[in-house]
C-alpha cells in the first residue's frame, strides 16, 4: 500500500521543526530508511521522501552522497516497475545536479536510454526545470539526431520564456525536422523584428526544397502572405495543399484557383488511368461543394468536361 503524501510531508516538516539532535537524527534515519523498504512505492516524484528531503537539505553534501548510493543500490536490488525506475533516476539526476552539475551521465544513457525521455518528463512535471534543461543539453551529445529530445528542450525553453535560446535554436530544429508546431507559439512571444528574421530564414530555406512545398505553403499561410501562396500553387503542388488553403483564397483569387485546380487535376488524370484519377476528381469536387464555391466548381467542371469528354463519365 502506498504511503500517503501527507505522511511524507509531515515527516519532513517534523524533521525541520525538531531541535533536539538525537530526535532529529532519528527522524532523518527514518526518512532515509523508509524508501528502501520492500513495500515502498516510488511512482510519484513529487510525493517521494527523497525528493522532499533534497529540496530542504541540498547543501548537505554528505547527505546527498548517501542518498545517491542508496538510490543506485535500490535500482540494483529491488524489483521495480518502469515508473518507479523513472522516479529514482529523476532523483539521482537532482542529486547529481547539486553535487556535480551533472558532470557524467554516461551511465544513464548507456543503461537507461529507453527511459531517458520519461525521466526528463518527470523532472519537468515536478518543476525541476534547471535539472531537466541541463540533463537534456548533456543528452544532446549522446543523441544528436533525436528530434524528440530537441523538441522537448525547445518546449521547456518556451515555458521558461528563454527567448534568445528559442530564437536561435528553433529555426534549426524546424529545418532538421519539418516540425512547425512550436514555431508559431514563438511568434506570440518575440518582437516583430525578431519574428521577421526567423520566418524569412525559414522561407528562404524552403524555397530551395522542391519536395517540401507543404512546409513553405504553411509558412505563407500562417503569415497571411496569400500572394506568395498563390504563386507557389501556380508552380505546381499536390492537390492536398490546394485543398488545405483554398478556403481563404477562393473568394479573392477565383481565377487563379480555377487555373490551379485545372492544372493539378489534369496532371493527375493524365498520369493515372485507374481509380486514383477518379478519387482525386471526386474529392476535389466534393471539397468545392463543402466550401460552397459554386463558380469555382462550375469552371473546373466545364474544363474537365471539355478536355476529358471521353473519360468524364467515369471520372465522376
Amino acid at each position: 500500500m502506498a504511503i500517503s503524501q501527507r505522511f511524507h510531508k509531515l515527516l519532513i516538516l517534523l524533521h525541520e521543526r525538531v531541535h533536539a539532535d538525537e530526535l532529529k537524527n532519528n527522524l532523518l534515519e527514518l526518512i532515509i530508511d523508509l524508501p528502501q523498504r520492500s513495500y515502498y512505492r516510488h511512482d510519484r516524484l513529487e510525493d517521494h521522501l527523497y525528493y522532499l528531503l533534497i529540496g530542504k537539505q541540498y547543501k548537505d553534501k554528505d547527505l546527498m552522497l548517501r542518498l545517491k548510493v542508496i538510490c543506485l543500490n535500490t535500482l540494483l536490488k529491488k524489483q521495480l516497475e518502469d515508473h518507479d525506475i523513472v522516479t529514482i533516476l529523476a532523483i539521482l539526476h537532482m542529486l547529481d545536479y547539486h553535487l556535480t552539475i551533472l558532470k557524467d551521465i554516461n551511465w544513464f544513457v548507456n543503461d537507461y536510454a529507453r527511459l531517458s525521455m520519461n525521466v526528463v518528463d518527470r523532472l519537468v512535471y515536478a518543476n525541476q526545470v534547471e535539472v531537466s534543461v541541463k540533463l537534456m543539453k548533456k543528452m544532446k551529445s549522446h543523441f544528436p539526431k533525436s528530434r524528440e529530445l530537441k523538441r522537448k528542450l525547445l518546449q521547456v525553453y518556451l515555458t521558461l520564456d528563454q527567448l534568445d535560446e528559442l530564437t536561435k535554436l528553433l529555426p534549426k530544429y524546424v529545418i532538421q525536422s519539418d516540425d512547425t508546431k512550436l514555431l508559431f507559439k514563438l511568434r506570440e512571444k518575440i518582437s516583430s523584428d525578431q519574428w521577421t528574421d526567423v520566418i524569412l530564414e525559414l522561407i528562404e530555406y524552403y524555397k530551395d526544397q522542391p519536395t517540401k512545398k507543404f512546409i513553405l505553403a504553411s509558412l505563407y499561410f500562417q503569415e497571411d502572405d496569400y500572394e506568395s501562396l498563390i504563386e507557389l500553387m501556380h508552380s505546381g503542388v499536390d492537390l492536398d495543399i490546394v485543398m488545405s488553403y483554398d478556403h481563404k483564397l477562393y473568394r479573392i483569387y477565383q481565377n487563379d484557383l480555377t487555373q490551379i485546380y485545372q492544372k493539378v487535376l489534369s496532371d493527375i488524370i493524365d498520369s493515372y488511368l485507374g481509380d486514383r484519377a477518379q478519387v482525386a476528381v471526386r474529392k476535389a469536387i466534393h471539397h468545392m461543394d463543402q466550401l460552397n464555391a459554386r463558380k469555382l466548381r462550375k469552371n473546373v467542371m466545364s474544363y474537365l468536361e471539355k478536355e476529358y469528354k471521353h473519360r468524364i463519365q467515369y471520372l465522376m
Side-chain angles (χ1 to χ4, degrees):
M1 181 177 177
I3 301 171
S4 72
Q5 182 188 53
R6 180 178 176 82
F7 178 71
H8 283 176
K9 288 184 175 179
L10 285 173
L11 273 179
I12 297 293
L13 183 62
L14 190 59
H15 175 257
E16 286 179 343
R17 300 288 177 86
V18 165
H19 296 291
D21 289 343
E22 184 177 357
L23 181 55
K24 195 175 186 72
N25 288 335
N26 288 339
L27 280 168
L28 180 60
E29 290 304 314
L30 173 61
I31 290 168
I32 290 173
D33 179 65
L34 192 56
Q36 300 178 70
R37 299 292 179 175
S38 60
Y39 52 79
Y40 191 87
R41 296 297 302 273
H42 298 269
D43 50 347
R44 281 176 56 87
L45 176 58
E46 57 273 30
D47 295 348
H48 198 290
L49 264 179
Y50 291 171
Y51 172 83
L52 297 171
L53 184 63
I54 291 168
K56 306 295 182 182
Q57 306 289 329
Y58 68 88
K59 293 181 181 178
D60 188 337
K61 185 175 180 180
D62 290 337
L63 177 59
M64 297 292 103
L65 289 169
R66 185 179 174 190
L67 293 179
K68 180 178 177 179
V69 170
I70 293 171
C71 286
L72 288 170
N73 288 337
T74 301
L75 287 175
L76 294 174
K77 293 179 181 178
K78 291 185 72 171
Q79 295 295 318
L80 299 173
E81 297 181 16
D82 279 354
H83 57 78
D84 294 323
I85 295 173
V86 167
T87 296
I88 296 174
L89 289 171
I91 290 171
L92 278 166
H93 286 303
M94 290 172 60
L95 291 165
D96 271 349
Y97 180 78
H98 292 304
L99 289 167
T100 66
I101 316 296
L102 295 179
K103 184 178 180 180
D104 177 25
I105 66 164
N106 288 329
W107 64 273
F108 173 61
V109 296
N110 289 336
D111 297 338
Y112 298 101
R114 70 182 182 88
L115 296 176
S116 58
M117 291 310 299
N118 301 76
V119 174
V120 169
D121 286 337
R122 190 67 58 88
L123 288 166
V124 171
Y125 185 77
N127 292 320
Q128 295 295 311
V129 177
E130 291 182 0
V131 184
S132 66
V133 169
K134 185 68 176 180
L135 177 59
M136 284 188 280
K137 285 182 174 180
K138 298 282 286 186
M139 286 169 61
K140 279 176 66 177
S141 63
H142 295 271
F143 309 113
K145 296 182 179 180
S146 172
R147 294 180 183 178
E148 182 184 14
L149 177 58
K150 292 174 184 176
R151 182 173 63 251
K152 178 61 69 174
L153 182 56
L154 291 169
Q155 286 173 338
V156 174
Y157 281 148
L158 191 64
T159 302
L160 295 175
D161 283 341
Q162 293 189 7
L163 301 181
D164 289 340
E165 290 287 343
L166 264 176
T167 305
K168 180 174 64 176
L169 296 176
L170 190 50
K172 296 177 183 177
Y173 169 74
V174 172
I175 287 170
Q176 291 169 355
S177 66
D178 296 332
D179 179 358
T180 60
K181 292 184 180 69
L182 293 175
L183 180 63
F184 297 100
K185 293 181 180 179
L186 176 64
R187 179 171 58 180
E188 302 167 4
K189 293 179 174 285
I190 61 177
S191 70
S192 58
D193 288 343
Q194 287 176 307
W195 174 251
T196 298
D197 291 340
V198 169
I199 199 68
L200 286 180
E201 177 184 348
L202 290 171
I203 286 173
E204 287 306 309
Y205 170 79
Y206 280 105
K207 278 182 177 179
D208 295 327
Q209 305 296 317
T211 62
K212 297 181 178 180
K213 289 184 178 181
F214 65 99
I215 298 290
L216 185 57
S218 72
L219 297 178
Y220 285 144
F221 181 77
Q222 292 290 343
E223 287 297 287
D224 297 334
D225 187 357
Y226 300 145
E227 291 284 348
S228 296
L229 182 54
I230 283 290
E231 184 179 343
L232 176 66
M233 289 180 177
H234 273 300
S235 72
V237 295
D238 292 339
L239 177 61
D240 287 338
I241 292 179
V242 183
M243 291 171 56
S244 294
Y245 303 114
D246 61 354
H247 63 284
K248 283 284 189 178
L249 305 171
Y250 77 95
R251 296 185 188 279
I252 300 174
Y253 299 96
Q254 184 86 233
N255 292 335
D256 288 282
L257 274 178
T258 298
Q259 295 170 26
I260 290 164
Y261 266 111
Q262 288 171 352
K263 182 178 187 307
V264 170
L265 291 175
S266 290
D267 288 344
I268 295 172
I269 294 169
D270 292 341
S271 299
Y272 301 98
L273 297 176
D275 292 342
R276 184 165 178 176
Q278 182 190 57
V279 169
V281 171
R282 288 183 175 182
K283 183 167 74 170
I285 297 303
H286 177 68
H287 174 73
M288 293 176 207
D289 288 339
Q290 287 186 314
L291 283 180
N292 200 27
R294 296 175 183 175
K295 186 176 180 181
L296 177 62
R297 183 191 193 281
K298 180 181 177 182
N299 291 339
V300 172
M301 279 303 303
S302 296
Y303 170 82
L304 294 178
E305 288 169 354
K306 178 181 177 182
E307 293 296 316
Y308 301 98
K309 56 186 176 183
H310 298 300
R311 294 178 63 189
I312 192 64
Q313 185 174 0
Y314 169 74
L315 291 171
M316 296 305 298

